[in-house]
Amino acid sequence: MTARMRIDPTQCRGHAICALYVADAVEIDRWGFGRVVEAELDTRQAVRRARRAAAACPNGAVVVTDGREQSGPAAAGTDPRAGAGRW
Ligand code: SF4
C-alpha cells in the first residue's frame, strides 16, 4: 500500500497538531505551519497515522490520497496546458 500526504498551504493555520501524529513526515516552521517532508507513506502504520493527522487538523489542511490520484495544477484544473488540443 502506497499513499501520499500533503498539506494544503491555503488551509493550514499553524496549529501544529499534525506533527503530533506524523512527526517524522511533517516539519513545523517557527510560526507553527506544517510542511510535508516525507510525502510517500509506504507502511500501513504511516498511512494510519497520516489519516489521524488529517482527522485531527482543525482546518482540513492535511490531505491523504491513495497514491493513484493526481495532484497539482492538472488535477486541480488550473493547468493551462490541460486544455491544449481541445479546440
Ligand atoms: S494541524 Fe493542520 S492547520 Fe495545523 S499545522 Fe498541521 S496542517 Fe496546518
Side-chain angles (χ1 to χ4, degrees):
M1 165 185 276
T2 299
R4 293 188 62 82
M5 175 177 62
R6 65 182 175 84
I7 292 177
D8 182 346
T10 66
Q11 298 301 316
C12 179
R13 293 295 177 266
H15 302 289
I17 296 169
C18 53
L20 298 175
Y21 296 91
V22 286
D24 50 338
V26 170
E27 192 175 85
I28 301 296
D29 70 14
R30 62 199 288 193
W31 297 280
F33 290 89
R35 182 177 76 90
V36 173
V37 292
E38 188 61 55
E40 293 284 328
L41 308 167
D42 50 9
T43 66
R44 286 183 186 204
Q45 184 183 24
V47 173
R48 193 168 33 240
R49 288 188 297 140
R51 287 189 175 137
R52 285 186 186 143
C57 176
N59 295 87
V62 179
V63 179
V64 180
T65 58
D66 68 2
R68 288 177 296 180
E69 294 178 36
Q70 276 191 328
S71 62
T78 57
D79 186 349
R81 295 169 298 177
R86 268 197 234 160
W87 302 99

